[in-house]
Amino acid sequence: MNQLLRVSEGFQEKRISAIADEIAGRRTRIKVIGIAGPSSSGKTTFIKRLTVQLQVVGIQPIALSLDDYYVDRAKTPRSADGELDYEAFEALDAGLLQGELTRLLAGEAVRTARYDFKTGKSLPGAGNELHLHEDSVLLLEGIHGLNPRLLGDRLGADEIYRVFVCPLTSLPL
């Protein structure tokens, strides 16, 4: 079992390295890497590994999580059964995010938003200060990371690299 896991991780690392090489080959065009996948699909692990591989090829990734752009809990849409629907696009403050993305892509430094899950409050300007440089690419991660509504017409199709992370099978351990 341990050998199977090591080989599987090796295959994953090799594929992530190939993705980084492909991005490096298109470096003058790619501005954003959109990363999406279901909850618990391995997006965070993927991003950590992709970050290392991008750094190896001379690209400095700057991460931005869509989770920090949720609207206040009181404004969060509800599903048909009355539960909070964080998966709905309307659960995001798309206007705030798009404004910040526009400024980031224009080369401005931006203090990003942060969502406080404990209080259910959106905190514009309470996140990290980000600034994209010539050797930077923005890693945009979240369930709507591939949604065309997210970026609108701010970037051309060749300026966005899209990754969907989803395990195809599970290992019964």
Side-chain angles (χ1 to χ4, degrees):
M1 183 60 76
N2 286 340
Q3 183 64 18
L4 174 65
L5 291 174
R6 282 193 292 276
V7 170
S8 294
E9 286 181 351
F11 276 123
Q12 182 187 33
E13 197 65 37
K14 187 173 184 173
R15 180 63 183 126
I16 292 170
S17 176
I19 289 170
D21 289 343
E22 185 177 343
I23 291 167
R26 297 172 38 202
R27 181 63 198 110
T28 58
R29 293 186 309 274
I30 294 176
K31 308 288 184 227
V32 173
I33 302 170
I35 302 164
S39 295
S40 301
S41 61
K43 291 184 301 288
T44 301
T45 300
F46 173 82
I47 289 168
K48 288 178 183 177
R49 289 179 166 181
L50 180 60
T51 293
V52 170
Q53 293 298 328
L54 288 170
Q55 290 170 333
V56 166
V57 294
I59 297 172
Q60 186 58 42
I62 307 291
L64 185 62
S65 174
L66 296 180
D67 287 0
D68 283 320
Y69 290 87
Y70 283 128
V71 296
D72 288 347
R73 192 171 292 139
K75 297 178 184 176
T76 302
R78 295 197 176 260
S79 64
D81 62 357
E83 295 294 318
L84 293 171
D85 187 1
Y86 288 104
E87 294 184 3
F89 186 77
E90 294 72 23
L92 296 174
D93 187 341
L96 175 63
L97 173 65
Q98 290 166 349
E100 290 182 3
L101 287 173
T102 298
R103 291 174 44 220
L104 276 170
L105 293 169
E108 294 180 37
V110 174
R111 176 141 325 259
T112 61
R114 185 175 66 78
Y115 185 77
D116 186 330
F117 283 90
K118 190 172 187 174
T119 65
K121 295 287 184 187
S122 173
L123 305 170
N128 296 324
E129 182 171 284
L130 301 182
H131 185 242
L132 296 177
H133 302 280
E134 278 188 33
D135 63 342
S136 300
V137 67
L138 185 65
L139 295 178
L140 192 57
E141 177 271 323
I143 193 164
H144 288 283
L146 304 182
N147 190 327
R149 292 173 58 192
L150 191 64
L151 296 172
D153 58 0
R154 283 164 184 76
L155 294 171
D158 64 333
E159 296 176 297
I160 306 166
Y161 190 92
R162 293 175 171 88
V163 179
F164 183 73
V165 178
C166 187
L168 296 176
T169 61
S170 61
L171 291 175
L173 299 176

